[in-house]
Amino acid sequence: MENHAALMASGAAALGVALVFMMRRRKQRALGGGKVMFHPRVESKNDLGANGSTSGKNVHPEGPNIGPGSSRHWFSKDPHYPERTDLLHTGHAQGGKLVIVMVGVPGRGKTYIARKVARYLRWINYRTRVFSLARMRQEQYGEKQSADFYNPSNEDAHRLRMEVLRRAVSDMMKYLNRGGEVAILDGTNVTKDRRKLIRDAVAEQDGFSCLFIESVCDDPEVIQSTLSGVENFSPDFIASDDFARRVDFYSSVYETVDDNEGMLVRTHNQGARICVAGLQGFLPSKLLAFISNLHGTTNKPVYMTRHGESEFNTEHRIGGDSPLSEAGRQYALALSDFVEKTIPKDELCVWSSTMRRARQTANPVVERKLYWRYVEWRALREIEVGVCDGLTYQQVKEQFPSEFAAREENKLRYRYPRGESYLDLISRLEPVIIEFERQAEPLLIVAHQAVLRCLYAYFLDLPEEEVPYLSIPLHTVIKLEHRAFGWREQRFTLAST
Ligand code: F6P
């Protein structure tokens, strides 16, 4: 127990260590226990530059929220896979791109929704980028403009704001025409005139479509919770009364989105009620499911751990459904001590894979009743290795040399014969992500190496190429907490292997 307390204290004190992505086929760098890492959310520039590249260092080329050290290029082109062109399946040769337009007065959680949607879309493999009007305006005219800047009768300021909008729309079209698939315009867009300008630009492009996401809040509690985020973190925030005046200016010209303006998802009071109009096709419907489950802007920690060491682990064999080794059982006990000390038991939700080694790892937590809800998920089972089940990597290399080489070549897309690829795994985990977004309580996930790599990449918005190489060591609890400007990560190594 004391040992755990010390580990936690040292975890809290340690300085940030950047997660370093090692290129394909290079060895991973192991991250030690008790470390704190901060993954800043790095906003991308909206200026694409002549060759479509972004200018900042360590800037995620397709949007915010990316951790440092990314080596991802402008687009991940894979010669074996054709470019997707008809995202909305409407028969357009070049088109089929989606422009998502956020709508709502300031302080209603639009940026939060836009970022979550972008992260989700990138994770399920759509090239997506957020274009923030606030950021562009700040870059051009400076932060902390007083409320007067937003007064609709301030003609000079109105002209400047329209210029920013036009530039953002033009950047979005460039982005989509250069291979982007979804562009998200994060701004207020509260008047029909502004939305018409956007719609007209979209309509000029073959097969491009608009989806409006409108966020409406009238519940004082919900407004207060989003406002505290604005007060603490918005670079534009000056004072409460100035912000209230700004909201009043926007409210005075606010025209809610009409059914005839295009596809619409309107969320009231952070998902308490959802209205939909004109939604068509697979992707918009998928987004509806995702947005319906976004649970406010409250953030709860997520704890992730692999099962304790299994008998197969000791023999370096993959697949199977073997029980824990003695060291694995010790880890399961240590995990329950950690949980008891760290997470209130009347709040904790535990999600375990249905595999034997994961259940056995969660078992002491369950037996000691240290949880509020316990759920077993088939979706959390380890990557299916098909014909390689029960083999060591060396045996795979000897018995299936071409398969081994193919996996080395493209670990993300490689699918084991009669098994799965990492991309398959990401699809399988989608329901887990939807349920995660619905969660309001702290969560402990007990699963497996490949599965946790996929989930970790979702939480941190990491490029998919990094997924198969992320470091998720045994006997380590990874704690992730969402902060306004990124993710705080702590790793607690509870036992040796
Ligand atoms: O070795 C443990 C394990 O969970 C295997 O069951 C699984 O096949 C493997 O890790 C996934 O890791 P990788 O994709 O690096 O082979």
Side-chain angles (χ1 to χ4, degrees):
M1 299 265 189
E2 278 159 18
N3 194 17
H4 297 159
L7 277 167
M8 288 172 63
S10 72
L15 288 173
V17 176
L19 176 69
V20 178
F21 167 49
M22 295 306 193
M23 291 297 288
R24 221 168 39 181
R25 281 167 280 165
R26 283 200 204 148
K27 280 197 159 177
Q28 296 164 11
R29 186 163 105 184
L31 291 160
K35 293 271 197 279
V36 179
M37 285 172 271
F38 189 67
H39 303 274
R41 174 186 292 131
V42 186
E43 299 287 353
S44 63
K45 299 250 190 298
N46 281 327
D47 179 8
L48 299 186
N51 59 3
S53 67
T54 48
S55 45
K57 270 196 179 163
N58 279 341
V59 168
H60 190 294
E62 292 174 16
N65 298 359
I66 193 67
S70 169
S71 65
R72 194 180 202 190
H73 299 299
W74 173 232
F75 294 125
S76 53
K77 294 215 191 264
D78 186 324
H80 305 294
Y81 289 80
E83 292 285 310
R84 270 188 312 250
T85 53
D86 193 4
L87 195 63
L88 299 177
H89 312 289
T90 46
H92 290 85
Q94 197 277 326
K97 309 288 173 96
L98 186 63
V99 175
I100 297 177
V101 182
M102 304 306 299
V103 177
V105 300
R108 298 297 186 264
K110 295 182 302 300
T111 298
Y112 175 85
I113 297 172
R115 286 178 172 166
K116 287 247 174 181
V117 166
R119 176 177 73 161
Y120 170 66
L121 286 173
R122 283 194 281 265
W123 189 67
I124 58 173
N125 204 13
Y126 290 100
R127 297 178 197 118
T128 303
R129 187 166 168 202
V130 177
F131 294 77
S132 160
L133 288 174
R135 177 159 282 270
M136 290 179 76
R137 174 178 41 71
Q138 288 154 8
E139 279 171 5
Q140 194 142 1
Y141 307 116
E143 296 174 352
K144 299 201 190 302
Q145 300 284 349
S146 81
D148 297 323
F149 188 78
Y150 309 95
N151 184 340
S153 46
N154 180 344
E155 284 179 15
D156 287 344
H158 181 256
R159 193 172 34 76
L160 299 181
R161 285 167 47 220
M162 287 306 281
E163 258 172 43
V164 172
L165 174 65
R166 283 196 195 89
R167 194 154 60 80
V169 169
S170 147
D171 282 356
M172 286 199 301
M173 298 309 141
K174 272 191 236 165
Y175 169 73
L176 293 175
N177 280 308
R178 287 174 185 165
E181 291 174 305
V182 182
I184 304 179
L185 183 63
D186 182 19
T188 51
N189 305 312
V190 292
T191 63
K192 287 192 175 175
D193 279 358
R194 274 174 84 96
R195 296 195 294 267
K196 182 168 181 320
L197 184 151
I198 302 162
R199 271 206 330 270
D200 287 351
V202 170
E204 275 176 21
Q205 309 287 327
D206 182 32
F208 286 22
S209 301
C210 251
L211 164 68
F212 293 102
I213 301 180
E214 185 173 5
S215 178
V216 180
C217 303
D218 51 19
D219 177 334
E221 256 184 50
V222 175
I223 293 179
Q224 195 44 52
S225 79
T226 45
L227 281 191
S228 60
V230 173
E231 285 174 18
N232 291 326
F233 302 112
S234 167
D236 281 331
F237 184 79
I238 299 172
S240 300
D241 56 343
D242 177 85
F243 188 75
R245 276 182 66 228
R246 171 144 57 119
V247 172
D248 285 347
F249 283 138
Y250 276 102
S251 303
S252 69
V253 291
Y254 188 7
E255 297 165 293
T256 191
V257 182
D258 268 347
D259 288 3
N260 61 9
E261 287 186 59
M263 294 190 283
L264 166 69
V265 176
R266 183 184 297 121
T267 157
H268 292 257
N269 294 320
Q270 295 179 348
R273 186 157 61 93
I274 302 271
C275 298
V276 176
L279 224 57
Q280 286 181 27
F282 175 72
L283 185 60
S285 312
K286 216 171 167 54
L287 286 174
L288 171 63
F290 181 74
I291 294 164
S292 312
N293 284 287
L294 284 182
H295 181 98
T297 52
T298 50
N299 293 307
K300 62 280 164 183
V302 51
Y303 300 82
M304 309 192 304
T305 178
R306 285 172 72 181
H307 53 81
E309 181 191 67
S310 68
E311 287 182 0
F312 263 34
N313 288 143
T314 62
E315 297 155 11
H316 307 289
R317 295 159 75 187
I318 59 173
D321 194 10
S322 68
L324 295 182
S325 69
E326 177 51 32
R329 287 193 290 276
Q330 290 306 319
Y331 175 71
L333 291 173
L335 177 66
S336 68
D337 289 344
F338 174 85
V339 165
E340 184 178 34
K341 289 192 139 212
T342 317
I343 318 169
K345 63 179 175 197
D346 52 348
E347 290 181 9
L348 175 66
C349 292
V350 182
W351 292 355
S352 168
S353 131
T354 51
M355 296 188 105
R356 192 137 65 126
R357 53 197 188 271
R359 277 178 167 153
Q360 287 182 349
T361 305
N363 193 46
V365 172
V366 175
E367 294 242 297
R368 295 171 63 188
K369 300 203 172 12
L370 300 174
Y371 67 97
W372 175 57
R373 269 197 192 140
Y374 173 68
V375 180
E376 288 183 355
W377 284 82
R378 279 176 60 81
L380 286 174
R381 291 170 77 86
E382 180 56 309
I383 190 168
E384 179 55 63
V385 296
V387 297
C388 298
D389 197 79
L391 302 182
T392 64
Y393 289 113
Q394 188 54 37
Q395 288 169 332
V396 174
K397 194 173 180 180
E398 286 160 13
Q399 294 176 27
F400 301 101
S402 59
E403 295 297 332
F404 189 85
R407 192 163 200 255
E408 284 276 282
E409 184 54 34
N410 195 335
K411 195 174 174 189
L412 175 74
R413 295 180 190 277
Y414 171 81
R415 177 180 286 147
Y416 284 100
R418 297 197 211 139
E420 290 175 304
S421 67
Y422 270 89
L423 286 186
D424 292 333
L425 207 46
I426 288 174
S427 302
R428 160 145 75 81
L429 286 166
E430 263 196 75
V432 176
I433 289 304
I434 300 278
E435 288 299 323
F436 168 78
E437 292 297 351
R438 207 160 68 84
Q439 263 301 113
E441 293 78 24
L443 178 65
L444 170 66
I445 304 175
V446 183
H448 307 268
Q449 173 157 253
V451 164
L452 293 178
R453 281 174 174 155
C454 296
L455 295 178
Y456 181 89
Y458 172 77
F459 296 134
L460 267 61
D461 200 1
L462 298 175
E464 63 188 18
E465 291 86 345
E466 297 184 20
V467 172
Y469 307 98
L470 294 169
S471 170
I472 311 283
L474 279 173
H475 297 183
T476 303
V477 177
I478 301 175
K479 178 182 181 188
L480 294 172
E481 287 172 287
H482 195 234
R483 298 281 160 91
F485 291 109
W487 283 89
R488 180 169 190 260
E489 172 177 340
Q490 284 172 284
R491 292 189 173 215
F492 303 96
T493 305
L494 303 185
S496 55
T497 44

